Structures are given as structure tokens and as C-alpha cells.
Amino acid sequence: MLAPICLFTYNRLSETQQTVEALQKNHLAKESDLFIFSDGAKKEASADKVNAVRNYLKTIEGFKSLTIYESKENKGLANSVISGVTQIINRYEKVIVLEDDLITSPNFLDFMNQALDFYANSKRVFSISGFSMDLPSLSGYSKDFYLGYRASSWGWASWKNRWQEVDWEAKNYRKVIYNPIEHLRFMRGGSDMPYMLWKQMNGKIDSWAIRWCLYQFRKDFLTVFPSRSKLESIGFGADATHTKDTNRFNTIIDQEEQVLFTFSKELVLDKDLVREFRNQFSIVNRLKDKF
């Protein structure tokens, strides 16, 4: 059985349309159930934009089924994702998740569903990512996938028995931030992670993903990435809430016709890819984005 798709939307009509239109072109779209969570307006000034998105959502076709959940209040992205994914994953045991600013390749759903099936019983595999950065060692890389320490929130998938165990309150997070050894180990997924966690726990940002990554780190779990990215983000416009303009995550979306993918139960990380992945989040590269 194919995994259901959760799509989270807010007030960006153009981006939402592009996201849905790309998803409709997926080979498995007509066989997939689509659940859309539409967050309520944060301010009265946003209500018209939210309603415009909702009017569009009601016209969507091309999927096995379409279910729309409209929130009367503004939950914010973190609460929307946590509650929406929990609702669907409790029913279907697995889920594929997208936000309203992600363009997928036609074989995105093929890769995600096959990886979900293959690693369903590999408990160390925490999530599947549809996104991959343009890492140097992926040039000429022969495998369909690689493994990493840090989950991606851009087009991902997971299972109920992983998701339901996550500590969303991030208890004892101070042990990771203020213990020098744990602090350094947490940075294996990127030097930005400890500070991002501190900002989340001190109310500076509203991120479900850093708490998701914290739990992954504590359990020493892994994420499966495609060697060719199955999506790209268009979420760096003026209306973006959680992303800022950046070039670090520019990637070449998969243009191949491949629909069958090969995976391995041997969970061996490529040291070069781990290093290159971590370097994308280095202080130097983050400063380059700002200047």
C-alpha cells in the first residue's frame, strides 16, 4: 500500500499551485491519497490570502482521494506539522510529507515509497529524504542513495513507530547544548544545530524539525537521501516565514526516467559525503549566504 501524502499550506497561492502541479505529474499520484492541512490566518490581513489558497485546494484533482483540513486558528508550522502528521501516521503507519513550496520530480513518490517499504524494519533508519544537496562526491556516484546523520524537512517520510517516540518537549536538551562533548557530537549534522536548538527552546524560533533532529541524534538514527535530489525548494520569496534567501541549498532536480531504485540493508556511511554535508552548514558557508 502506498504511503499517504500530507501537504501543509498557508497563504502562498502561487507556490502552492506549483507544488501541487508538480506532485500531480508524479507517476504514482493517481494511486496516492492526498491530505492537505490548511493553517488559519495569523492576522486579519492574511485572511484573504489564506482563503485564496483554500479556494484553489478545493479544485485539485489527479489523486486517488483528496481530504482537506482547514484550521480555524493559526497553529503555526510546527504545531500544524506535528498534529497533522500524527493524525495521518496513526491511521496509515507511514506518511510522506511536503510543505507548500517544494517542486518534486515525477519519480519522487517512487523513491519515497520504495525506501519506506525497504527500510520499514530497519529501526536505525529514522526517515527518508526526497531532497539532496549538490555535494561534490555525488558527481559520478553509482548508488541510488546515501546515508546521513541529519534529517531533512524538505519532502520527507517516516513511520509511526519512529514518529510516535519523538520527545517534542526536548527534555534534558541542556545536556546536548552545555555538555562540550555532546555539543560537538550534535554538530556532526551541521554546526548550526546547537544554536538552532537553543533558539527553539528559548522561544526565538518555531521549529519542529530541530526537535526531530535532536531525537535522531540521541538515538544515533540515520536518514536515507537520494543521490539525485527528487525535489527543489521555491520557498525563498518575500512571504516565506521560515526560510531566508540562500544559495547553499541549490540543487539539480532529478530529470531521469528511473522508477525503480536499489537500496541496501548495510547501513554504512560514506565519510566524504558526511563531511561535505556537514560543511554545507559551516560558519563560513553560512556567512557567505549573508554577504
Side-chain angles (χ1 to χ4, degrees), residues 151-218:
S152 171
S153 61
W154 287 359
W156 57 276
S158 193
W159 305 263
K160 178 182 176 181
N161 60 4
R162 278 72 146 181
W163 179 261
Q164 67 183 358
E165 299 298 324
V166 177
D167 172 22
W168 295 111
E169 295 180 7
K171 302 181 187 73
N172 299 320
Y173 78 94
R174 291 178 179 84
K175 290 183 179 180
V176 174
I177 292 180
Y178 299 114
N179 181 307
I181 296 176
E182 290 296 285
H183 187 105
L184 286 173
R185 287 188 63 242
F186 193 36
M187 290 169 61
R188 68 187 183 180
S191 63
D192 61 321
M193 295 184 74
Y195 183 50
M196 191 183 304
L197 177 60
W198 180 89
K199 288 196 295 183
Q200 169 61 35
M201 302 312 296
N202 286 274
K204 306 296 183 181
I205 59 173
D206 181 30
S207 170
W208 66 272
I210 189 60
R211 290 174 278 171
W212 170 247
C213 289
L214 174 64
Y215 183 79
Q216 177 177 9
F217 163 72
R218 283 179 164 163

Coordinates of all heavy atoms in Angstrom, one line a residue, residues 151-218:
A151 N 18.2 14.6 9.5 CA 17.0 14.6 8.7 C 16.8 15.9 8.0 O 17.2 17.0 8.5 CB 15.8 14.2 9.6
S152 N 16.1 15.8 6.8 CA 15.7 17.0 6.1 C 14.2 17.2 6.3 O 13.4 16.2 6.3 CB 16.1 16.8 4.6 OG 15.5 17.9 3.9
S153 N 13.8 18.4 6.4 CA 12.4 18.7 6.5 C 11.7 19.1 5.2 O 10.6 19.4 5.1 CB 12.1 19.9 7.5 OG 12.8 21.1 7.0
W154 N 12.5 19.0 4.1 CA 12.0 19.3 2.8 C 11.6 18.0 2.1 O 12.5 17.3 1.4 CB 13.1 20.0 1.9 CG 13.4 21.4 2.3 CD1 12.7 22.1 3.3 CD2 14.3 22.3 1.8 NE1 13.2 23.4 3.4 CE2 14.2 23.5 2.4 CE3 15.3 22.2 0.7 CZ2 15.0 24.6 2.1 CZ3 16.1 23.3 0.4 CH2 15.9 24.5 1.1
G155 N 10.4 17.6 2.1 CA 9.9 16.4 1.4 C 10.5 15.2 2.0 O 11.5 14.7 1.6
W156 N 9.9 14.7 3.1 CA 10.4 13.6 3.8 C 9.3 12.5 4.1 O 8.2 12.7 3.9 CB 11.0 14.1 5.1 CG 10.1 14.8 6.0 CD1 9.7 16.2 5.9 CD2 9.3 14.3 7.0 NE1 8.8 16.5 6.8 CE2 8.5 15.4 7.5 CE3 9.1 13.1 7.6 CZ2 7.6 15.2 8.6 CZ3 8.2 12.9 8.7 CH2 7.5 14.0 9.1
A157 N 9.8 11.4 4.7 CA 8.8 10.3 5.0 C 9.3 9.6 6.2 O 10.5 9.5 6.5 CB 8.7 9.4 3.8
S158 N 8.4 9.0 7.0 CA 8.8 8.2 8.1 C 7.6 7.2 8.5 O 6.6 7.2 7.8 CB 9.2 9.1 9.3 OG 9.8 8.3 10.3
W159 N 7.8 6.5 9.6 CA 6.9 5.5 10.0 C 6.4 5.9 11.4 O 7.0 6.5 12.2 CB 7.6 4.2 10.1 CG 8.3 3.7 8.9 CD1 7.8 2.9 7.9 CD2 9.6 4.0 8.4 NE1 8.7 2.7 6.9 CE2 9.8 3.4 7.2 CE3 10.6 4.9 8.9 CZ2 11.0 3.5 6.5 CZ3 11.8 5.0 8.2 CH2 12.0 4.3 7.0
K160 N 5.2 5.3 11.8 CA 4.6 5.6 13.0 C 5.5 5.2 14.2 O 5.6 5.9 15.2 CB 3.3 4.8 13.1 CG 2.5 4.9 14.5 CD 1.3 4.1 14.5 CE 0.6 4.2 15.9 NZ -0.6 3.4 15.9
N161 N 6.1 4.0 14.1 CA 6.9 3.6 15.3 C 8.2 4.4 15.5 O 8.9 4.2 16.5 CB 7.3 2.1 15.2 CG 8.1 1.7 13.9 OD1 8.5 2.6 13.2 ND2 8.3 0.4 13.7
R162 N 8.6 5.2 14.6 CA 9.7 6.2 14.8 C 9.1 7.5 15.3 O 9.5 8.1 16.3 CB 10.5 6.5 13.5 CG 11.5 5.5 13.2 CD 11.0 4.1 12.7 NE 11.9 3.5 11.7 CZ 11.6 2.4 11.1 NH1 10.5 1.7 11.4 NH2 12.4 1.9 10.2
W163 N 8.0 8.0 14.6 CA 7.5 9.3 14.9 C 6.9 9.4 16.3 O 7.0 10.4 17.0 CB 6.4 9.6 13.8 CG 5.7 10.9 14.0 CD1 4.4 11.1 14.6 CD2 6.1 12.2 13.6 NE1 4.1 12.4 14.5 CE2 5.1 13.1 13.9 CE3 7.2 12.6 12.9 CZ2 5.2 14.5 13.6 CZ3 7.3 14.0 12.6 CH2 6.3 14.9 13.0
Q164 N 6.2 8.3 16.7 CA 5.5 8.4 18.0 C 6.4 8.4 19.2 O 5.9 8.8 20.3 CB 4.5 7.2 18.1 CG 5.2 5.9 18.2 CD 4.2 4.7 18.3 OE1 3.0 4.9 18.3 NE2 4.7 3.5 18.3
E165 N 7.6 8.1 19.0 CA 8.6 8.1 20.1 C 9.3 9.4 20.3 O 10.0 9.6 21.3 CB 9.6 7.0 19.9 CG 9.1 5.6 19.8 CD 8.4 5.2 21.1 OE1 8.9 5.6 22.2 OE2 7.4 4.5 21.1
V166 N 9.1 10.4 19.4 CA 9.9 11.6 19.5 C 9.4 12.5 20.7 O 8.2 12.6 21.0 CB 9.7 12.5 18.2 CG1 10.4 13.8 18.3 CG2 10.2 11.7 17.0
D167 N 10.4 13.0 21.4 CA 10.1 13.9 22.6 C 10.0 15.3 22.1 O 11.0 16.0 21.9 CB 11.3 13.7 23.6 CG 11.2 14.7 24.7 OD1 10.1 15.3 24.9 OD2 12.2 15.0 25.3
W168 N 8.8 15.8 21.8 CA 8.6 17.1 21.3 C 8.9 18.2 22.3 O 9.1 19.4 22.0 CB 7.2 17.3 20.7 CG 7.0 16.4 19.6 CD1 6.2 15.3 19.5 CD2 7.6 16.4 18.3 NE1 6.2 14.7 18.3 CE2 7.1 15.4 17.5 CE3 8.5 17.3 17.7 CZ2 7.5 15.1 16.2 CZ3 9.0 17.1 16.4 CH2 8.4 16.0 15.6
E169 N 8.9 17.8 23.6 CA 9.3 18.8 24.6 C 10.8 19.0 24.8 O 11.3 19.9 25.5 CB 8.7 18.4 26.0 CG 7.2 18.4 26.0 CD 6.6 18.0 27.3 OE1 7.4 17.8 28.3 OE2 5.4 17.8 27.4
A170 N 11.5 18.1 24.1 CA 13.0 18.1 24.1 C 13.6 18.2 25.5 O 14.4 19.0 25.9 CB 13.5 19.3 23.3
K171 N 13.1 17.3 26.4 CA 13.6 17.2 27.8 C 15.1 17.0 27.8 O 15.6 16.3 27.0 CB 12.9 16.1 28.5 CG 11.3 16.2 28.6 CD 10.8 15.1 29.4 CE 9.3 15.0 29.3 NZ 8.8 14.5 28.0
N172 N 15.7 17.6 28.8 CA 17.1 17.5 29.0 C 18.0 18.0 27.8 O 19.1 17.5 27.6 CB 17.5 16.0 29.3 CG 16.8 15.5 30.6 OD1 16.7 16.2 31.5 ND2 16.4 14.3 30.5
Y173 N 17.4 18.9 27.0 CA 18.1 19.4 25.9 C 19.4 20.1 26.3 O 20.4 20.2 25.6 CB 17.3 20.4 25.1 CG 17.1 21.8 25.7 CD1 18.0 22.8 25.3 CD2 16.2 22.1 26.7 CE1 17.9 24.1 25.9 CE2 16.0 23.3 27.3 CZ 16.9 24.3 26.9 OH 16.8 25.6 27.4
R174 N 19.4 20.6 27.6 CA 20.6 21.3 28.1 C 21.9 20.4 28.1 O 23.0 20.9 27.9 CB 20.4 21.8 29.5 CG 19.4 23.0 29.5 CD 19.1 23.4 30.9 NE 18.1 24.5 31.0 CZ 16.8 24.4 31.0 NH1 16.3 23.1 30.9 NH2 16.0 25.4 31.0
K175 N 21.7 19.1 28.2 CA 22.8 18.2 28.2 C 23.5 18.2 26.9 O 24.7 17.9 26.8 CB 22.3 16.8 28.6 CG 21.9 16.6 30.0 CD 21.5 15.2 30.3 CE 21.1 15.0 31.7 NZ 20.7 13.6 32.0
V176 N 22.7 18.5 25.8 CA 23.3 18.5 24.5 C 24.0 19.9 24.2 O 25.1 19.9 23.6 CB 22.3 18.2 23.4 CG1 22.8 18.4 22.0 CG2 21.7 16.8 23.6
I177 N 23.4 20.9 24.7 CA 23.9 22.2 24.4 C 25.1 22.6 25.3 O 26.1 23.1 24.8 CB 22.8 23.3 24.6 CG1 21.7 23.2 23.5 CG2 23.4 24.7 24.6 CD1 20.6 24.2 23.6
Y178 N 25.0 22.2 26.6 CA 26.0 22.7 27.5 C 27.1 21.6 27.9 O 28.1 22.0 28.6 CB 25.3 23.2 28.8 CG 24.4 24.3 28.5 CD1 23.0 24.2 28.7 CD2 24.9 25.6 28.1 CE1 22.2 25.3 28.4 CE2 24.1 26.6 27.8 CZ 22.7 26.5 28.0 OH 21.9 27.5 27.7
N179 N 26.9 20.4 27.5 CA 28.0 19.4 27.6 C 28.9 19.5 26.4 O 28.4 19.2 25.3 CB 27.3 18.0 27.7 CG 28.4 16.9 27.9 OD1 29.3 16.8 27.1 ND2 28.2 16.1 29.0
P180 N 30.1 19.9 26.6 CA 31.0 20.1 25.4 C 31.1 18.9 24.5 O 31.1 19.1 23.2 CB 32.4 20.4 26.1 CG 32.0 20.9 27.4 CD 30.8 20.1 27.8
I181 N 31.2 17.7 25.0 CA 31.3 16.5 24.2 C 30.1 16.3 23.3 O 30.1 16.1 22.1 CB 31.6 15.3 25.0 CG1 33.0 15.5 25.7 CG2 31.6 14.0 24.2 CD1 33.4 14.3 26.6
E182 N 28.9 16.4 24.0 CA 27.6 16.2 23.3 C 27.4 17.3 22.3 O 26.8 17.1 21.2 CB 26.5 16.1 24.3 CG 26.5 14.8 25.2 CD 26.3 13.6 24.3 OE1 25.1 13.4 23.9 OE2 27.2 12.9 24.1
H183 N 27.8 18.5 22.7 CA 27.6 19.7 21.8 C 28.4 19.4 20.5 O 27.8 19.6 19.4 CB 28.2 20.9 22.5 CG 27.9 22.2 21.8 ND1 27.0 23.1 22.2 CD2 28.5 22.7 20.7 CE1 27.0 24.1 21.4 NE2 27.9 23.9 20.5
L184 N 29.6 19.0 20.6 CA 30.4 18.7 19.4 C 29.8 17.6 18.6 O 29.8 17.6 17.3 CB 31.8 18.5 19.8 CG 32.7 19.7 20.2 CD1 34.0 19.2 20.8 CD2 32.8 20.7 19.1
R185 N 29.4 16.5 19.2 CA 28.8 15.4 18.5 C 27.5 15.8 17.8 O 27.3 15.3 16.7 CB 28.5 14.2 19.5 CG 29.7 13.5 20.0 CD 29.3 12.3 20.8 NE 28.6 11.3 20.0 CZ 27.3 10.9 20.2 NH1 26.6 11.4 21.2 NH2 26.8 10.0 19.4
F186 N 26.7 16.7 18.4 CA 25.5 17.1 17.8 C 25.8 17.9 16.5 O 25.0 17.9 15.5 CB 24.7 18.0 18.8 CG 23.3 18.3 18.4 CD1 22.5 17.4 17.7 CD2 22.8 19.6 18.7 CE1 21.2 17.7 17.4 CE2 21.5 19.9 18.3 CZ 20.7 18.9 17.7
M187 N 27.0 18.5 16.4 CA 27.4 19.3 15.3 C 27.8 18.4 14.1 O 28.1 19.0 13.0 CB 28.5 20.2 15.6 CG 28.1 21.4 16.6 SD 29.4 22.3 17.3 CE 30.2 23.0 15.8
R188 N 27.8 17.1 14.2 CA 28.2 16.3 13.1 C 27.2 16.4 11.9 O 27.5 16.1 10.8 CB 28.3 14.8 13.5 CG 26.9 14.2 13.9 CD 27.2 12.8 14.4 NE 25.9 12.1 14.7 CZ 25.8 10.9 15.3 NH1 26.9 10.2 15.5 NH2 24.6 10.3 15.5
G189 N 26.0 16.9 12.2 CA 25.0 17.2 11.2 C 25.0 18.6 10.7 O 24.3 19.0 9.8
G190 N 25.9 19.4 11.3 CA 26.0 20.8 11.0 C 26.2 21.7 12.2 O 25.6 21.5 13.3
S191 N 27.1 22.7 12.1 CA 27.5 23.5 13.2 C 26.4 24.4 13.7 O 26.4 25.0 14.8 CB 28.7 24.3 12.9 OG 28.5 25.2 11.9
D192 N 25.3 24.5 12.9 CA 24.2 25.4 13.2 C 23.2 24.7 14.2 O 22.4 25.4 14.8 CB 23.4 25.8 12.0 CG 22.9 24.6 11.2 OD1 23.6 23.5 11.2 OD2 21.8 24.7 10.7
M193 N 23.3 23.4 14.4 CA 22.3 22.7 15.1 C 22.2 23.1 16.6 O 21.0 23.3 17.1 CB 22.5 21.2 15.0 CG 22.3 20.8 13.5 SD 22.3 19.0 13.3 CE 20.8 18.5 13.9
P194 N 23.3 23.2 17.4 CA 23.1 23.5 18.8 C 22.4 24.9 19.0 O 21.6 25.1 19.9 CB 24.5 23.5 19.3 CG 25.3 22.6 18.4 CD 24.7 22.8 17.1
Y195 N 22.9 25.9 18.2 CA 22.3 27.2 18.4 C 20.8 27.2 18.0 O 20.0 27.9 18.6 CB 23.1 28.2 17.6 CG 22.6 29.7 17.7 CD1 22.3 30.2 19.0 CD2 22.3 30.4 16.6 CE1 21.9 31.5 19.1 CE2 21.9 31.7 16.7 CZ 21.6 32.3 18.0 OH 21.2 33.6 18.1
M196 N 20.5 26.5 16.9 CA 19.1 26.4 16.5 C 18.2 25.7 17.6 O 17.1 26.2 17.9 CB 19.0 25.5 15.2 CG 17.6 25.6 14.5 SD 17.5 24.6 13.1 CE 18.8 25.2 12.1
L197 N 18.8 24.7 18.2 CA 18.1 24.1 19.4 C 17.9 25.1 20.5 O 16.8 25.2 21.1 CB 18.8 22.9 19.8 CG 18.2 22.1 21.0 CD1 16.8 21.6 20.8 CD2 19.2 21.0 21.5
W198 N 18.9 25.8 20.8 CA 18.8 26.8 21.9 C 17.7 27.9 21.6 O 16.9 28.2 22.4 CB 20.2 27.5 22.1 CG 20.1 28.6 23.2 CD1 20.4 28.4 24.5 CD2 19.8 30.0 23.0 NE1 20.2 29.6 25.2 CE2 19.9 30.6 24.3 CE3 19.4 30.8 21.9 CZ2 19.6 31.9 24.5 CZ3 19.2 32.1 22.1 CH2 19.2 32.7 23.4
K199 N 17.7 28.3 20.3 CA 16.7 29.3 19.9 C 15.3 28.7 20.0 O 14.4 29.4 20.5 CB 17.0 29.8 18.5 CG 18.2 30.7 18.3 CD 18.2 31.5 17.0 CE 18.3 30.5 15.8 NZ 18.4 31.3 14.6
Q200 N 15.1 27.5 19.6 CA 13.8 26.8 19.8 C 13.4 26.8 21.2 O 12.2 27.1 21.5 CB 13.9 25.4 19.2 CG 12.6 24.6 19.5 CD 11.4 25.1 18.9 OE1 11.3 25.7 17.8 NE2 10.3 24.9 19.6
M201 N 14.2 26.3 22.1 CA 13.9 26.1 23.5 C 13.7 27.4 24.2 O 13.2 27.5 25.3 CB 14.9 25.2 24.2 CG 15.0 23.8 23.5 SD 13.5 23.0 23.2 CE 12.8 22.8 24.8
N202 N 14.2 28.5 23.6 CA 14.1 29.8 24.3 C 13.1 30.7 23.5 O 13.0 32.0 23.7 CB 15.4 30.5 24.4 CG 16.3 29.9 25.5 OD1 16.2 30.3 26.6 ND2 17.1 29.0 25.1
G203 N 12.2 30.1 22.7 CA 11.2 30.8 22.0 C 11.6 31.8 21.0 O 10.8 32.7 20.6
K204 N 12.8 31.6 20.4 CA 13.2 32.5 19.4 C 12.8 32.1 18.0 O 12.6 32.9 17.1 CB 14.8 32.6 19.4 CG 15.4 33.0 20.7 CD 15.0 34.4 21.2 CE 15.6 34.8 22.5 NZ 15.2 36.1 22.9
I205 N 12.5 30.8 17.8 CA 12.0 30.3 16.5 C 10.9 29.2 16.9 O 10.8 28.8 18.0 CB 13.1 29.6 15.7 CG1 13.8 28.4 16.5 CG2 14.2 30.6 15.3 CD1 14.8 27.6 15.7
D206 N 10.2 28.8 15.8 CA 9.2 27.8 16.0 C 9.5 26.7 15.0 O 9.0 26.7 13.9 CB 7.8 28.4 15.7 CG 6.7 27.5 15.8 OD1 6.8 26.5 16.7 OD2 5.6 27.6 15.1
S207 N 10.3 25.7 15.5 CA 10.8 24.7 14.6 C 10.4 23.3 15.2 O 10.8 22.9 16.3 CB 12.3 24.8 14.4 OG 12.8 23.6 13.8
W208 N 9.7 22.5 14.4 CA 9.5 21.1 14.8 C 10.7 20.3 14.4 O 11.1 19.3 15.0 CB 8.3 20.5 14.1 CG 8.4 20.4 12.6 CD1 8.1 21.4 11.7 CD2 8.9 19.3 11.9 NE1 8.4 20.9 10.4 CE2 8.9 19.7 10.5 CE3 9.4 18.1 12.2 CZ2 9.3 18.8 9.5 CZ3 9.8 17.2 11.2 CH2 9.8 17.6 9.9
A209 N 11.4 20.7 13.3 CA 12.5 19.9 12.7 C 13.7 19.8 13.6 O 14.4 18.7 13.6 CB 12.9 20.5 11.3
I210 N 14.1 20.8 14.3 CA 15.3 20.7 15.2 C 15.0 19.8 16.3 O 15.9 19.0 16.8 CB 15.7 22.1 15.7 CG1 17.1 22.0 16.4 CG2 14.7 22.7 16.6 CD1 18.2 21.5 15.5
R211 N 13.8 19.7 16.8 CA 13.4 18.7 17.8 C 13.4 17.3 17.3 O 13.8 16.3 17.9 CB 12.1 19.0 18.5 CG 12.1 20.3 19.3 CD 10.7 20.7 19.8 NE 10.0 21.4 18.8 CZ 8.7 21.7 18.9 NH1 8.0 21.3 19.9 NH2 8.1 22.5 17.9
W212 N 13.0 17.1 16.0 CA 13.1 15.9 15.3 C 14.5 15.5 15.1 O 14.9 14.3 15.4 CB 12.4 16.2 14.0 CG 12.4 15.2 12.8 CD1 13.1 15.4 11.6 CD2 11.7 14.0 12.7 NE1 12.8 14.4 10.8 CE2 12.0 13.5 11.4 CE3 10.9 13.2 13.5 CZ2 11.5 12.3 10.9 CZ3 10.4 12.0 13.0 CH2 10.7 11.6 11.7
C213 N 15.4 16.4 14.8 CA 16.8 16.1 14.6 C 17.5 15.8 16.0 O 18.4 14.9 16.0 CB 17.5 17.2 13.9 SG 17.1 17.4 12.2
L214 N 17.1 16.4 17.0 CA 17.6 16.1 18.3 C 17.3 14.7 18.7 O 18.2 14.0 19.2 CB 17.0 17.1 19.4 CG 17.4 16.8 20.8 CD1 18.9 17.0 21.0 CD2 16.6 17.7 21.8
Y215 N 16.1 14.3 18.5 CA 15.8 12.9 18.9 C 16.6 11.9 18.0 O 17.1 10.9 18.5 CB 14.3 12.7 18.7 CG 13.8 11.3 19.1 CD1 13.7 10.9 20.4 CD2 13.6 10.3 18.1 CE1 13.3 9.7 20.8 CE2 13.2 9.0 18.5 CZ 13.1 8.7 19.9 OH 12.7 7.4 20.2
Q216 N 16.7 12.2 16.7 CA 17.5 11.4 15.9 C 18.9 11.3 16.4 O 19.5 10.2 16.4 CB 17.5 12.0 14.4 CG 18.4 11.2 13.5 CD 18.3 11.7 12.0 OE1 17.7 12.8 11.8 NE2 18.9 11.0 11.1
F217 N 19.5 12.4 16.8 CA 20.9 12.4 17.3 C 21.0 11.5 18.5 O 21.9 10.7 18.7 CB 21.3 13.8 17.6 CG 22.5 13.9 18.5 CD1 23.8 13.6 18.0 CD2 22.4 14.3 19.8 CE1 24.9 13.7 18.9 CE2 23.5 14.4 20.6 CZ 24.7 14.1 20.2
R218 N 20.1 11.7 19.5 CA 20.1 10.9 20.7 C 20.1 9.4 20.5 O 20.6 8.6 21.3 CB 19.0 11.4 21.6 CG 19.3 12.7 22.3 CD 18.2 13.1 23.2 NE 18.6 14.2 24.1 CZ 17.7 15.0 24.8 NH1 16.4 14.8 24.6 NH2 18.2 15.9 25.6

